[in-house]
Amino acid sequence: MRKKLGAALLLCGFLLMGTRPVAAEEIPKHIYEWVQSTARQGYYFNKEQIQYAVDAHGYIDLTKIVVPTLRIYDDIQIQDVVSKRRWRMLPLDGYSDLSGAAEYLMIDLSAGVVHITVHEDLDSAWGTLSREENAKEIKLSALSDKDVEKKFFDAIIHYAAANQDAL
């Protein structure tokens, strides 16, 4: 019995050593709205800079939301990002200090599409390690209601609708 308990405690200790919790005080709550955390990352969006898009004539387009987002990674997610960069033979300069990613989204409500216009990998001081423009496009209808990304996008959309006057 003691051997099983000792093995369980050792396993728990080992698992906890592999995670790197991000202190909540590191993310300014007056700027970033926390949405959710998974086992690998925390999801935030910038509630100070969220806004509706403006068309070519200067009119506000209530069908498009523009918002910067932030994801904070744990150690395993960091290792995964670094491994993928290594596999793709991309530069690894500064990636020993990888902390998360910033993405700039344009959510087109009428088309049901999220455009990730910019993806930046960030170091622990929130400096940019790499930048990718026009990173990808995600159709909201293709995501399950249980999908983490879908929940994140829905939270942003609900926030925008509830704070339409402020945006």
Side-chain angles (χ1 to χ4, degrees):
M1 179 69 174
R2 286 183 185 229
K3 286 183 181 181
K4 287 182 181 179
L5 179 62
L9 289 174
L10 185 62
L11 178 62
C12 288
F14 176 73
L15 290 174
L16 290 174
M17 285 175 44
T19 61
R20 183 178 58 123
V22 174
E25 62 269 5
E26 290 180 25
I27 312 248
K29 292 179 180 173
H30 66 285
I31 298 173
Y32 289 93
E33 180 81 13
W34 173 82
V35 173
Q36 64 190 351
S37 290
T38 66
R40 300 287 161 248
Q41 53 190 314
Y43 292 75
Y44 301 82
F45 68 90
N46 188 317
K47 61 187 176 185
E48 278 191 348
Q49 293 184 8
I50 187 172
Q51 61 187 358
Y52 287 105
V54 177
D55 68 14
H57 304 289
Y59 296 107
I60 295 173
D61 185 348
L62 297 176
T63 66
K64 294 181 177 135
I65 302 166
V66 178
V67 59
T69 64
L70 178 65
R71 295 175 191 225
I72 302 299
Y73 298 157
D74 79 339
D75 286 336
I76 295 172
Q77 182 68 24
I78 289 169
Q79 290 171 5
D80 186 48
V81 170
V82 171
S83 294
K84 285 178 182 174
R85 287 188 67 81
R86 186 176 293 118
W87 182 78
R88 293 179 185 138
M89 300 174 85
L90 295 171
L92 294 172
D93 295 340
Y95 274 81
S96 61
D97 192 31
L98 178 66
S99 185
E103 291 183 330
Y104 300 86
L105 311 180
M106 197 282 290
I107 303 172
D108 187 335
L109 300 171
S110 59
V113 175
V114 176
H115 301 275
I116 301 175
T117 59
V118 176
H119 173 95
E120 296 178 340
D121 286 334
L122 304 175
D123 62 19
S124 61
W126 294 18
T128 302
L129 296 171
S130 68
R131 179 181 175 95
E132 181 182 349
E133 296 193 23
N134 300 316
K136 64 180 170 179
E137 185 176 288
I138 301 167
K139 292 186 184 210
L140 292 171
S141 62
L143 301 175
S144 153
D145 287 337
K146 294 181 180 180
D147 188 283
V148 173
E149 298 286 327
K150 172 84 162 126
K151 289 179 182 182
F152 184 49
F153 300 143
D154 284 348
I156 294 169
I157 293 166
H158 292 315
Y159 181 88
N163 296 281
Q164 196 170 43
D165 292 339
L167 299 179

